[in-house]
Amino acid sequence: MMELLTSPEAWAALLTLTALEIVLGIDNVIFLSVIVSRLPEPQAKRARQIGLALALVFRIMLLSVLVWLIGLTQPVFTVKSMGFSWRDIILIGGGLFLIAKATHEIHREMEAREEGHEDTPAPNAFFWVIVQIIIIDLVFSLDSIITAIGMAEQLEIMIAAVIIAVVVMYVSAVPVTKFVAEHPTTKMLALAFLVLIGVALVADGFQFHIPRGYIYFAITFSVAVEFFNVLAKNNRRKAAKKTREKPVRQPGG
């Protein structure tokens, strides 16, 4: 342990891997923010805590069974000279789930707006939110940890990077969730991101890798446009409020 603490290579590996884990965790934060936005705030807070705790547990569990995890990348069956491993199957299943879930949420948002009201959470909504968080945590954890295995050799560095990344995810999840809840258009944008991420996961499962840089650039650009849109909307609202509050001059006054 002391050798790792005094090794510049170990610190460089930790910083690099932590940054990568945080970037890979963006997908999880977006999904978590959207999925808990329909819950009342006390339940939403508990769902965030449970979801991110599960993400941490899954990642450390997977790191603890490295031999089994690496075995997941070995082909289990072949279709027309294309081999599929358990990792591919999990990514395809998770990607399809993400696409289906995001599409369903988009339909619900559109129907709620057309009818002029918001859906009220079902009595068992909290339970189903946790189930969905578990499914997506498993998919994202698998992808994240396999990446970590390829970048670092020491288990201690991998676990430290994962813990730091989950803490950053927890801190960022609260403002992201609040912002998504307060601005309905950003929720639609986040759902579109989830469809995009789902497509990327399915493509990875079929061994067609879409560079994540393209996806993160698209997300960053869209978020920047939405930020200026929200800023302009707030400025218009403030200007309209000042106009209403401005006293009307009486004739001859």
Side-chain angles (χ1 to χ4, degrees), residues 42-65:
Q43 287 190 340
K45 183 178 180 180
R46 283 177 57 205
R48 277 195 300 271
Q49 292 172 341
I50 293 172
L52 290 171
L54 287 171
L56 179 59
V57 169
F58 287 145
R59 281 163 168 76
I60 293 177
M61 283 175 56
L62 291 175
L63 280 171
S64 303
V65 284

Side-chain angles (χ1 to χ4, degrees), residues 59-76:
R59 281 163 168 76
I60 293 177
M61 283 175 56
L62 291 175
L63 280 171
S64 303
V65 284
L66 293 180
V67 175
W68 172 79
L69 193 61
I70 290 177
L72 288 180
T73 59
Q74 302 301 317
V76 290

Side-chain angles (χ1 to χ4, degrees), residues 115-172:
E115 294 171 7
H117 64 82
E118 293 290 331
D119 291 344
T120 55
N124 58 348
F126 182 79
F127 171 77
W128 288 112
V129 163
I130 297 301
V131 170
Q132 292 170 60
I133 288 172
I134 290 172
I135 294 171
I136 290 302
D137 271 345
L138 278 169
V139 176
F140 287 155
S141 295
L142 185 69
D143 208 22
S144 170
I145 294 307
I146 288 176
T147 303
I149 293 170
M151 286 196 61
E153 296 178 356
Q154 292 86 2
L155 182 61
E156 295 86 352
I157 292 176
M158 296 184 202
I159 292 177
V162 163
I163 292 173
I164 295 170
V166 171
V167 170
V168 171
M169 285 165 58
Y170 180 78
V171 172
S172 62

Side-chain angles (χ1 to χ4, degrees), residues 4-71:
L4 289 177
L5 291 175
T6 56
S7 170
E9 292 82 5
W11 281 104
L14 176 63
L15 291 174
T16 305
L17 188 55
T18 300
L20 184 63
E21 290 291 319
I22 291 170
V23 171
L24 291 173
I26 291 171
D27 308 346
N28 213 340
V29 171
I30 293 173
F31 178 81
L32 196 62
S33 301
V34 171
I35 203 69
V36 304
S37 63
R38 292 188 179 277
L39 295 175
E41 181 49 36
Q43 287 190 340
K45 183 178 180 180
R46 283 177 57 205
R48 277 195 300 271
Q49 292 172 341
I50 293 172
L52 290 171
L54 287 171
L56 179 59
V57 169
F58 287 145
R59 281 163 168 76
I60 293 177
M61 283 175 56
L62 291 175
L63 280 171
S64 303
V65 284
L66 293 180
V67 175
W68 172 79
L69 193 61
I70 290 177

Side-chain angles (χ1 to χ4, degrees), residues 30-31 33-39 100-121 177 179-192 194-195 226 233:
I30 293 173
F31 178 81
S33 301
V34 171
I35 203 69
V36 304
S37 63
R38 292 188 179 277
L39 295 175
K101 178 60 185 174
T103 304
H104 176 67
E105 287 290 327
I106 289 172
H107 279 293
R108 286 182 65 176
E109 284 291 308
M110 295 300 294
E111 288 169 4
R113 291 188 190 183
E114 287 173 2
E115 294 171 7
H117 64 82
E118 293 290 331
D119 291 344
T120 55
T177 303
F179 189 80
V180 167
E182 291 177 353
H183 301 88
T185 54
T186 59
K187 184 173 182 179
M188 196 66 70
L189 188 63
L191 290 169
L194 291 179
V195 174
E226 184 63 21
K233 190 185 297 183

